[in-house]
Amino acid sequence: MGIISFTEVMPQGSDGGDEELITISGVVDSIIYRNDDNGYTVCDIETADGGFITAVGIMPFVSEGESVTVVGSWGHHASFGRQFQVQSAEATLPVGASEILRYLSSGAVRGVGPITAKRIVERFGDDSFDVIEHHPEWLTDIPGISKRRAEEISENFKKQTGSRSVMMFCREFFGLSTSLRIFKQWGSAAVDIIKKNPYRLCTEISGISFTRADEIAMSLGIAKDSPDRIDSAVIYLLSYNATTNGHVYLPFDRLVSGICELIGVTEEQAENACRRLIKSGKIFLKRIGDTDAVYLKLYFDAEVKIAQRLRELDRLCPKLDTDDVSRFIAKIEVQDNIRYAAAQRAAIEGALTSGVMILTGGPGTGKTTVVRALLSIFNSMCFRCALAAPTGRAAKRMSEATCAEARTIHRLLEMEYNEGAYPRFIRDENNRLEEDAIIIDESSMIDVLLMDALVRAIKPGARLILIGDADQLPPVGAGNVLHDIIESGVFRTVRLTEIFRQTKESLIITNARRIITGEYPILTEKNSDFFFLPRSTDEKIASAIVDLCAKRLPAAYKVDPLTDIQVITPSRRGTAGTENLNILLQEKLNPKSKRKKELKSREILFREGDKVMQIKNNYNLEWTRDGDGKCLCDNTKESGIGVFNGDIGIIVDIDESNESVSVRFDDKIVVYDMSQLDELEHAYAVTVHKSQGSEYPIVVIPMYRCATMLMTRHLLYTAVTRAEKTLILVGREDVVRTMVDCEREDYKYTGLATFLREM
């Protein structure tokens, strides 16, 4: 069956250091613990001299009864005493009847217990494995084994040994965590899949680049001009630009030139591949303005469906008479002792006389006031109304502002577990939402796939009200839905611009308005909620920010630096970027302590008490909670799935034995194993893009020169509007002016506006 080797960095907390590594051989006596997600195993090994050792480390497929050679060093666990810390392991299936019996009796092969194992070995002896794998029909000679059971035993054994083959093959190209992801995706068929078309690695397995898949293909002898190679490059470029750059499509000529640059083929070869894939229906060609747009089927279908459903909703929704609307508004004004501004009245009227309405405006312009009015009117009409937002934080703010329940869009649509990269929702065109009106806040954050899921689930005749700030950055995901809907000019759109009296005194709001209109913010006013601290160099900027977060702001405002202060930066790079600031802030806000456990993953040192962020949508991560956010016992806890890009939490526990990290996100607890830690990073400082949809009591922003594409008016505006009570800019005034002067927006290739006009 061959030898399989596992190599992994020594777990944190070992005593190995730089001491000489030790090699120990023996037979696995018992598996004490195994984490099936990351392969972390605790086992007892009987050594050649008849002694026993406890070995701990990444050994995902080592089973009882197997011969094993482990390499590592001795360490001491505070609770479990002396243990052998495994850095690498090699295991082979046992040889000889007695060892085979021991292996099969351990339960390593599902469907075979001690009695059945004894009967198999008594009948076939040293050939037992060969019979199970190649001649399962012979097993029916043994009492109690039917033809069906024999086939199941053989299949389970093949899966066990197949996993070994997969790991042996993958170890030549990948680390352990990636190899495990590959095996989970394709099982024992992984080797055949990779050999047939290694480019499926970059399109179906997260974290594997096309370049890496191409290197593997070349090592397997796949020709540079192979159709599979060129076709995969086409799919990869479209997928990469959708998920990374937010482009729903790519222009045909840019796609062709990108293919040529990526894999070094001729334009003719690249064009032929595109036309071949268009003909097969794997990609789509659509004329968008003067551009030949090339789509992946997923995104083409999404934009078409959004356009169709929005048009249908607007057409089929019963429209209220304008006189009735006026009476509703007048009644609410008397009831709430309020007088709505003209634009607010127009928004209320639009929501009641249209099936689809868009309300946009900056902070302090009264969007929440309009929502409260609509809720009152809908309630008086006995309309069922749903409030939702793209993120949990945004939904929570919406609930607090309206005193009504608001949910995430994912929760509204009742997301359910699936193995795919994108969620599956219970609510869809076959099981629509019952609500008569759907109000969505922070709509600028909605990408094209989420919008597609939302509109599919809204019943005909219901109203959809989209609320958001059109001047903020576009969504992180593919598309620019709110912008495209407004640009299409198809639906009623109301823009609120007036800043109301209660917010006029806020310099944050005043300066946000000045920034987005191209005026320089006021930086010299004292005793306000907007401050500017001039610093001349990046080093001084970083130092000042650390001092603010660790000392000055907590002392002045009596706040928690972890929960009440958020550093937001334009870029990850540089001395004042998130990467460096997170290191500096961790040292000050959560320093090393004997009382705090640590775990290292991909050069990031996680520590109990750290502020962390989920950096990608994971629709299958499980969480638990109660009213206090505490983990409860299994029979009482509330649970669910889904943790999303931008969610911020605190590490509350690190389990060194299981190599897992528990994070509290508001009232939810999520447990990450080692294979999932690449989805977490420190969040003492976050980028502007990651901060979208969130607000924080105090925001600190470094003003330093970074990549030109990030020094824009819209990015600065988005950062400033994240602050609820206090905002501090730290750095150079010329950088502030440069950003205000740059009106360039993040451009995305999208076609939704065109589809809406054509419907």
PDB file of all heavy atoms in Angstrom, residues 226-238:
ATOM      1  N   SER A 226      -2.310  22.697 -24.812  1.00  0.00           N
ATOM      2  CA  SER A 226      -3.432  21.798 -24.564  1.00  0.00           C
ATOM      3  C   SER A 226      -4.727  22.589 -24.473  1.00  0.00           C
ATOM      4  O   SER A 226      -4.795  23.606 -23.779  1.00  0.00           O
ATOM      5  CB  SER A 226      -3.207  21.019 -23.268  1.00  0.00           C
ATOM      6  OG  SER A 226      -4.410  20.450 -22.794  1.00  0.00           O
ATOM      7  N   PRO A 227      -5.810  22.138 -25.140  1.00  0.00           N
ATOM      8  CA  PRO A 227      -7.097  22.834 -25.019  1.00  0.00           C
ATOM      9  C   PRO A 227      -7.575  22.948 -23.573  1.00  0.00           C
ATOM     10  O   PRO A 227      -8.159  23.969 -23.194  1.00  0.00           O
ATOM     11  CB  PRO A 227      -8.041  21.963 -25.862  1.00  0.00           C
ATOM     12  CG  PRO A 227      -7.154  21.293 -26.855  1.00  0.00           C
ATOM     13  CD  PRO A 227      -5.870  21.042 -26.128  1.00  0.00           C
ATOM     14  N   ASP A 228      -7.329  21.894 -22.773  1.00  0.00           N
ATOM     15  CA  ASP A 228      -7.728  21.957 -21.360  1.00  0.00           C
ATOM     16  C   ASP A 228      -7.020  23.103 -20.648  1.00  0.00           C
ATOM     17  O   ASP A 228      -7.617  23.791 -19.812  1.00  0.00           O
ATOM     18  CB  ASP A 228      -7.406  20.634 -20.658  1.00  0.00           C
ATOM     19  CG  ASP A 228      -8.427  19.544 -20.931  1.00  0.00           C
ATOM     20  OD1 ASP A 228      -9.538  19.880 -21.381  1.00  0.00           O
ATOM     21  OD2 ASP A 228      -8.103  18.354 -20.688  1.00  0.00           O
ATOM     22  N   ARG A 229      -5.739  23.293 -20.980  1.00  0.00           N
ATOM     23  CA  ARG A 229      -4.976  24.356 -20.336  1.00  0.00           C
ATOM     24  C   ARG A 229      -5.527  25.732 -20.710  1.00  0.00           C
ATOM     25  O   ARG A 229      -5.730  26.585 -19.851  1.00  0.00           O
ATOM     26  CB  ARG A 229      -3.504  24.259 -20.728  1.00  0.00           C
ATOM     27  CG  ARG A 229      -2.622  25.314 -20.068  1.00  0.00           C
ATOM     28  CD  ARG A 229      -1.141  25.085 -20.413  1.00  0.00           C
ATOM     29  NE  ARG A 229      -0.289  25.980 -19.651  1.00  0.00           N
ATOM     30  CZ  ARG A 229       0.452  26.962 -20.189  1.00  0.00           C
ATOM     31  NH1 ARG A 229       0.452  27.162 -21.496  1.00  0.00           N
ATOM     32  NH2 ARG A 229       1.188  27.751 -19.418  1.00  0.00           N
ATOM     33  N   ILE A 230      -5.776  25.940 -21.984  1.00  0.00           N
ATOM     34  CA  ILE A 230      -6.247  27.248 -22.433  1.00  0.00           C
ATOM     35  C   ILE A 230      -7.676  27.500 -21.943  1.00  0.00           C
ATOM     36  O   ILE A 230      -7.995  28.596 -21.477  1.00  0.00           O
ATOM     37  CB  ILE A 230      -6.173  27.345 -23.971  1.00  0.00           C
ATOM     38  CG1 ILE A 230      -4.761  27.014 -24.462  1.00  0.00           C
ATOM     39  CG2 ILE A 230      -6.528  28.770 -24.414  1.00  0.00           C
ATOM     40  CD1 ILE A 230      -4.624  26.948 -25.966  1.00  0.00           C
ATOM     41  N   ASP A 231      -8.537  26.474 -22.032  1.00  0.00           N
ATOM     42  CA  ASP A 231      -9.912  26.617 -21.548  1.00  0.00           C
ATOM     43  C   ASP A 231      -9.924  26.956 -20.062  1.00  0.00           C
ATOM     44  O   ASP A 231     -10.701  27.811 -19.606  1.00  0.00           O
ATOM     45  CB  ASP A 231     -10.703  25.327 -21.787  1.00  0.00           C
ATOM     46  CG  ASP A 231     -10.994  25.077 -23.257  1.00  0.00           C
ATOM     47  OD1 ASP A 231     -10.607  25.921 -24.096  1.00  0.00           O
ATOM     48  OD2 ASP A 231     -11.600  24.030 -23.564  1.00  0.00           O
ATOM     49  N   SER A 232      -9.073  26.295 -19.298  1.00  0.00           N
ATOM     50  CA  SER A 232      -9.017  26.542 -17.856  1.00  0.00           C
ATOM     51  C   SER A 232      -8.522  27.944 -17.556  1.00  0.00           C
ATOM     52  O   SER A 232      -8.959  28.571 -16.584  1.00  0.00           O
ATOM     53  CB  SER A 232      -8.116  25.509 -17.176  1.00  0.00           C
ATOM     54  OG  SER A 232      -8.633  24.201 -17.329  1.00  0.00           O
ATOM     55  N   ALA A 233      -7.615  28.448 -18.367  1.00  0.00           N
ATOM     56  CA  ALA A 233      -7.136  29.816 -18.186  1.00  0.00           C
ATOM     57  C   ALA A 233      -8.272  30.816 -18.393  1.00  0.00           C
ATOM     58  O   ALA A 233      -8.373  31.820 -17.666  1.00  0.00           O
ATOM     59  CB  ALA A 233      -5.988  30.106 -19.145  1.00  0.00           C
ATOM     60  N   VAL A 234      -9.137  30.548 -19.371  1.00  0.00           N
ATOM     61  CA  VAL A 234     -10.291  31.413 -19.626  1.00  0.00           C
ATOM     62  C   VAL A 234     -11.209  31.439 -18.399  1.00  0.00           C
ATOM     63  O   VAL A 234     -11.574  32.503 -17.894  1.00  0.00           O
ATOM     64  CB  VAL A 234     -11.086  30.935 -20.857  1.00  0.00           C
ATOM     65  CG1 VAL A 234     -12.346  31.790 -21.035  1.00  0.00           C
ATOM     66  CG2 VAL A 234     -10.221  30.991 -22.112  1.00  0.00           C
ATOM     67  N   ILE A 235     -11.579  30.255 -17.914  1.00  0.00           N
ATOM     68  CA  ILE A 235     -12.479  30.144 -16.767  1.00  0.00           C
ATOM     69  C   ILE A 235     -11.851  30.782 -15.533  1.00  0.00           C
ATOM     70  O   ILE A 235     -12.505  31.504 -14.774  1.00  0.00           O
ATOM     71  CB  ILE A 235     -12.839  28.673 -16.479  1.00  0.00           C
ATOM     72  CG1 ILE A 235     -13.507  28.029 -17.700  1.00  0.00           C
ATOM     73  CG2 ILE A 235     -13.715  28.563 -15.250  1.00  0.00           C
ATOM     74  CD1 ILE A 235     -14.822  28.655 -18.094  1.00  0.00           C
ATOM     75  N   TYR A 236     -10.556  30.517 -15.338  1.00  0.00           N
ATOM     76  CA  TYR A 236      -9.864  31.053 -14.171  1.00  0.00           C
ATOM     77  C   TYR A 236      -9.849  32.584 -14.190  1.00  0.00           C
ATOM     78  O   TYR A 236     -10.130  33.217 -13.160  1.00  0.00           O
ATOM     79  CB  TYR A 236      -8.438  30.524 -14.111  1.00  0.00           C
ATOM     80  CG  TYR A 236      -7.603  31.182 -13.015  1.00  0.00           C
ATOM     81  CD1 TYR A 236      -7.762  30.813 -11.695  1.00  0.00           C
ATOM     82  CD2 TYR A 236      -6.683  32.181 -13.318  1.00  0.00           C
ATOM     83  CE1 TYR A 236      -7.022  31.415 -10.682  1.00  0.00           C
ATOM     84  CE2 TYR A 236      -5.936  32.787 -12.319  1.00  0.00           C
ATOM     85  CZ  TYR A 236      -6.110  32.398 -11.005  1.00  0.00           C
ATOM     86  OH  TYR A 236      -5.379  33.009 -10.019  1.00  0.00           O
ATOM     87  N   LEU A 237      -9.523  33.190 -15.320  1.00  0.00           N
ATOM     88  CA  LEU A 237      -9.457  34.651 -15.384  1.00  0.00           C
ATOM     89  C   LEU A 237     -10.823  35.279 -15.112  1.00  0.00           C
ATOM     90  O   LEU A 237     -10.924  36.289 -14.421  1.00  0.00           O
ATOM     91  CB  LEU A 237      -8.928  35.089 -16.752  1.00  0.00           C
ATOM     92  CG  LEU A 237      -7.409  35.065 -16.925  1.00  0.00           C
ATOM     93  CD1 LEU A 237      -7.029  35.468 -18.341  1.00  0.00           C
ATOM     94  CD2 LEU A 237      -6.727  36.000 -15.926  1.00  0.00           C
ATOM     95  N   LEU A 238     -11.881  34.700 -15.668  1.00  0.00           N
ATOM     96  CA  LEU A 238     -13.215  35.225 -15.415  1.00  0.00           C
ATOM     97  C   LEU A 238     -13.598  35.067 -13.945  1.00  0.00           C
ATOM     98  O   LEU A 238     -14.140  35.987 -13.326  1.00  0.00           O
ATOM     99  CB  LEU A 238     -14.235  34.518 -16.308  1.00  0.00           C
ATOM    100  CG  LEU A 238     -14.160  34.845 -17.800  1.00  0.00           C
ATOM    101  CD1 LEU A 238     -15.064  33.917 -18.603  1.00  0.00           C
ATOM    102  CD2 LEU A 238     -14.537  36.306 -18.064  1.00  0.00           C
TER     103      LEU A 238
END
